[in-house]
Amino acid sequence: MSFGGFLDNSSGGGLGGATIVADIPFSNNMAAAGAMAQNIYNSPGLSLALQPSIDNQGDGVRMGENFDASIGRRSREEEHESRSGSDNIDGVSGDDQDAADNRPRKKRYHRHTPQQIQELEALFKECPHPDEKQRLELSKRLCLETRQVKFWFQNRRTQMKTQLERHENSLLRQENDKLRAENMSIREAMRNPICTNCGGPAIIGDLSLEEQHLRIENARLKDELDRVCALASKFLGRPLSSLATSIAPPLPNSNLELGVGSNGFGGLSTTLPLGPDFGGGVSNSLPVVPPNGVERSMFLELALAAMYELVKMAQTDEPLWIRSLEGGREVLNHDEYSRMFTPCIGIKPAGFLTEASRQTGVVIINSLALVETLMDSNRWAEMFPCMIARTSTTDVISSGMGGTRNGAIQLMHAELQLLSPLVPVREVNFLRFCKQHAEGVWAVVDVSIDTLRETSGAPTTYVKCRRLPSGCVVQDMPNGYSKVTWVEHVEYDESQVHHLYRPLLSSGIGFGAQRWVATLQRQCECLAILMSSTVPTGDHTAITASGRRSMLKLAQRMTGNFCAGVCASTVHKWNKLNAGNVDEDVRVMTRKSVDNPGEPPGIVLSAATSVWLPMSPQRLFDFLRDERLRSEWDILSNGGPMQEIAHIAKGQDHGNCVSLLRSSAMNTNQSSMLILQETCMDAGGSLVVYAPVDIPAMQVVMNGGDSAYVALLPSGFSIIPDGTASPGPTTSNGNGDSHRVGGSLLTVAFQILVNSLPTAKLTVESVETVNNLISCTVQKIKAALQCES
C-alpha cells in the first residue's frame, strides 16, 4: 500500500495476507502417547537434549494426550533423525530400527555440519515455513534427506516459540509479584490505621475518607492482578487459581488485552506438529539464540515491556490522560504515568524535556495493510514523506510467525524531521515490535535501544532524542476502514531548538500523535482516490491514467527533495556555509549534483528560513496556493497571474492536489517553462512545493512517459501552527510569544542551480543573491497580508 508500488504498477498488487498453516489432527490416546514419551526420555542418544526436568514432566504427559496411537511408531522412527535438526542416525529407518533394537550393534550418529546449520538458519530467517519445493531444493544442496530438513524446521519453530514464551512468562511473573506486594501493603495499612495528626492508632470513624481512597486503590490493584493472571493462564493452558486466591472476581477480557492464545506472540497454532525436543529443551549442538544472544534476549524483553505500556496508554483515559483547557488536547499526567509504569529504558537524562500526545482517528485502510506499511521501512517513509527524512531496517530479530507480521521484531534507524532549519533532525535507533492481540486488532510499538547498547558494551554516540514506548493500536472497522489510536512519547534535548519552535514541540504538536494521524488520513485518502476508477470532479480528463501516475510520481520526488533541502538530512550530502553577509536565521547549504538524471548538473545552493506570522495557517495556505495571487510574491510570474492548465486531485479538500501552472504574461525567454506545484493540508500543517519544468519534458510525462529523467530543483513553503494557543483572533505587538494567539510558523526554502559545472567554486555573489531572494519573498508575503509589524 505504498505510493511507489501503486505508481510503478498500474495493475496494483496484493498486500499479502496471512499464510494458512494446515493443522494436523491428533486424537486423545493416552496409552500410546505415554509410551512414546517414555521411549523418548529413556533413549540414551537423547540424554543431552531431552532430559526432562521436574517442571516439565507434567507438560510432557499433557502433550502426549494430543497424539494418535497410529503415529507412535512414526515418532520412534524419526526420533534420532529429527532431534533438534542437528544429530541423527545414519541409514536407519523405522523398521530397521525395530530390528536393530534386538541386535547388539553400535549405532552411528550423524551430526549436521556448521555449513549445513548455517544454510538452514539462513533460510529459516527468511521463511520459517518453507514449502515442499524449497525443502527438496535445500535437501539436495545440503545432501540431506527431505524428512531431515522438514523436521529441522519443525523443531526450530518450536524452539523459538518456547524461548519467547519463557521470556514473556518471566515478565508476567515479575509484574504479578509487584502487584501482590502492593496489594499486601495496602491491606496491612488498612488493618493498622494510624492517625496522620498524632501518629497514634486511629479511630475507625475518622478514616472514612482515607479508607475510601484505599478501597479504590485496592480495587484497581485487584483488576490489574486479574489481568495478569488471565494472561499467564493463556500461556499455560490452565487457570492460575493459586495466584488469584479469592482476591477479586475476574474482569471481562478486553479486545486489546495483552493475551496471546491463538493470536499471541509467535502466532503458532497449538495443533502444529511438535518436535521430539519440545518437552525437555534443545539439543546441545544448536544455540538457544542467534549470535549476540544476550543482546537479542534483552531486545525481546524490552519489546514485551514496551508493548504492554503502549496498549495501556492507548486504553487508559483519566487520570493518565487529562483533557487540556486550551484546544481540548489530551495531556499526559506524568505523576500518574510514573506510578503506573517502570521506565523500560532507564531514567530521563539530565536536561531533557518530555513530550507526550495521543490521538485517535478513522483511516481508509485495513489493519493488515497498515501493519505491512509500518513494518516495511520504504513504505513507512513513503506514507509519511514530510515527517521521515530517512529510515532503514538494521536487523531483523524475528520476521513474524505463520506468514504474518505477528511477533515480528526488527531494529530500525530513522531521521525524523520538522520542516524548518531551526529544528534539528531527530536521529533515533529503535526497536519495532508488531503483535496481533485479537482478530482484526494489531499494535505496533517503537522504543529506543540506545540504553541497551550502553549496557551491552556496544559503541554508542551522544543521544539527543529517546523514543519511549510509542506507536499505534489498529482495529478493523466495516468497509475497509480502521480505527487508529496513536501514542507519541519522547524525551529530547531542547538546547538546539530555536525559541520560536519550543512551544510547538513541548505541546506535542510538532512531532506528536496528531501530526502522525493527520498525515496518515490524508495519504490514505489520496491512495483511495488514485485507486478509484472514476476521475474526481475538477480533474482534467485529457490526462490519461498513465499520465496521472507519472505526474504524481514526479510530484512525489519533487516534494521529497524539497524536504531534504529544508532539514539538511543525510539524503543528500550538504555542506553548510557560514557567510557573514547572510541573515542570522537563514541557513545556506551547497552540494554538487553529478550523474543524477532527475536534477540539472552543477552546484546546487539551498537557502531556508522560518518566520512567525500573526495569522491562521489556513489563511496563509490559501494565499500561497492561489495561482491568481502568485504575482504578489513569486518573481517567476513576471508580475502577472498564473493559469492552471492541469489539475490532479489528491483528496476531498481542493487544496490537496498536483497542478501544472503557466504564466499568463509569458515572455520569449520563458516560453518553454511551466511550473509543477503540489499542495497539501491537514490538521498537522500544510505544504506548497513547486519547481520550474520544461514543456517538452512535461508533455512526455503527461502522456505516461518516465518521469525519472525530468530535471527539477524544488522550492516552496511549509506552514504549521505556532503551538502557543488554539486558533482564534490575532494580536500582534512584537513583544514575545505570550501575546501571540493563533499564529503560524512559515518556512521558506529555495534550491537554485548557481553554476552548471560541478567543479566550479561558489561565489559570494551567488550566496548574496539567494539570501536577498529569501528576504524579498518574506517581505512581499508580509506586505500582501498586511502583517509587516
Side-chain angles (χ1 to χ4, degrees), residues 635-638 663 665-674 695:
I635 62 174
L636 297 177
S637 63
N638 297 313
S663 175
M666 185 177 295
N667 57 32
T668 57
N669 294 331
Q670 294 181 324
S671 58
S672 62
M673 296 298 294
L674 297 174
I695 290 180

Side-chain angles (χ1 to χ4, degrees), residues 1-2 6-7 9-15 364 523-534 548-549 552:
M1 186 57 75
S2 65
F6 173 79
L7 298 176
N9 187 355
S10 60
S11 63
L15 296 173
I364 314 177
Q523 293 286 83
C524 291
E525 182 184 20
C526 173
L527 283 176
I529 292 177
L530 297 181
M531 296 174 68
S532 174
S533 58
T534 60
R548 285 162 55 90
R549 284 192 294 272
L552 291 171

Side-chain angles (χ1 to χ4, degrees), residues 340-656:
M340 289 182 62
F341 304 108
T342 302
C344 58
I345 59 173
I347 61 175
K348 180 172 67 176
F352 275 39
L353 296 183
T354 301
E355 65 178 52
S357 57
R358 184 176 71 167
Q359 185 73 20
T360 301
V362 178
V363 184
I364 314 177
I365 190 173
N366 63 66
S367 62
L368 284 177
L370 181 54
V371 165
E372 286 292 334
T373 299
L374 296 176
M375 298 304 293
D376 186 297
S377 59
N378 293 328
R379 292 186 183 182
W380 184 44
E382 289 178 354
M383 184 64 80
F384 303 94
C386 298
M387 303 182 66
I388 303 172
R390 193 172 188 178
T391 183
S392 61
T393 300
T394 58
D395 194 9
V396 177
I397 307 298
S398 172
S399 59
M401 294 295 175
T404 71
R405 292 289 189 174
N406 185 24
I409 304 177
Q410 57 196 34
L411 306 184
M412 303 181 69
H413 172 81
E415 298 178 16
L416 307 180
Q417 63 188 1
L418 187 65
L419 295 181
S420 171
L422 307 182
V423 180
V425 173
R426 291 182 173 180
E427 292 192 46
V428 286
N429 296 298
F430 59 95
L431 175 148
R432 176 163 289 181
F433 175 35
C434 175
K435 182 174 181 179
Q436 184 179 13
H437 293 277
E439 186 67 30
V441 180
W442 293 77
V444 178
V445 64
D446 298 344
V447 60
S448 288
I449 59 176
D450 302 284
T451 306
L452 287 185
R453 288 183 168 174
E454 292 174 1
T455 305
S456 61
T460 59
T461 58
Y462 174 70
V463 178
K464 300 178 182 178
C465 175
R466 302 200 318 165
R467 195 162 172 79
L468 278 69
S470 306
C472 61
V473 177
V474 188
Q475 183 173 3
D476 275 334
M477 297 181 67
N479 301 324
Y481 285 73
S482 295
K483 177 184 177 183
V484 177
T485 301
W486 203 290
V487 175
E488 280 295 310
H489 198 185
V490 177
E491 296 171 346
Y492 66 99
D493 183 3
E494 192 188 41
S495 60
Q496 298 184 5
V497 180
H498 194 277
H499 68 87
L500 279 176
Y501 283 84
R502 290 184 179 181
L504 179 75
L505 299 188
S506 61
S507 64
I509 299 178
F511 291 93
Q514 179 189 24
R515 190 168 171 227
W516 289 97
V517 173
T519 302
L520 180 63
Q521 289 174 324
R522 174 171 54 81
Q523 293 286 83
C524 291
E525 182 184 20
C526 173
L527 283 176
I529 292 177
L530 297 181
M531 296 174 68
S532 174
S533 58
T534 60
V535 178
T537 305
D539 276 19
H540 289 70
T541 56
I543 306 177
T544 63
S546 59
R548 285 162 55 90
R549 284 192 294 272
S550 295
M551 278 191 66
L552 291 171
K553 192 173 181 180
L554 180 61
Q556 180 184 6
R557 174 163 65 87
M558 176 183 69
T559 301
N561 288 342
F562 170 78
C563 297
V566 171
C567 298
S569 65
T570 58
V571 175
H572 298 298
K573 187 177 180 180
W574 292 101
N575 297 315
K576 186 176 180 181
L577 299 179
N578 296 317
N581 54 349
V582 177
D583 295 341
E584 179 183 357
D585 293 337
V586 177
R587 181 172 64 191
V588 180
M589 302 179 298
T590 182
R591 64 180 173 88
K592 294 180 181 180
S593 176
V594 183
D595 298 330
N596 187 351
E599 290 182 346
I603 297 180
V604 178
L605 194 66
S606 172
T609 188
S610 296
V611 296
W612 177 81
L613 297 178
M615 65 183 60
S616 67
Q618 181 69 55
R619 182 187 173 194
L620 188 55
F621 174 69
D622 291 338
F623 169 75
L624 293 174
R625 74 179 180 87
D626 193 340
E627 66 273 8
R628 296 167 298 181
L629 304 176
R630 195 180 186 98
S631 60
E632 298 187 27
W633 58 267
D634 187 9
I635 62 174
L636 297 177
S637 63
N638 297 313
M642 303 290 287
Q643 178 185 0
E644 185 181 66
I645 61 175
H647 180 98
I648 301 177
K650 295 184 65 179
Q652 295 182 355
D653 192 312
H654 187 69
N656 292 329

Side-chain angles (χ1 to χ4, degrees), residues 39-41 43-51 79-80 83 109 276:
N39 288 336
I40 291 177
Y41 290 138
S43 173
L46 301 180
S47 59
L48 292 178
L50 293 173
Q51 189 65 27
E79 171 184 339
H80 300 288
R83 191 179 82 252
Y109 289 89

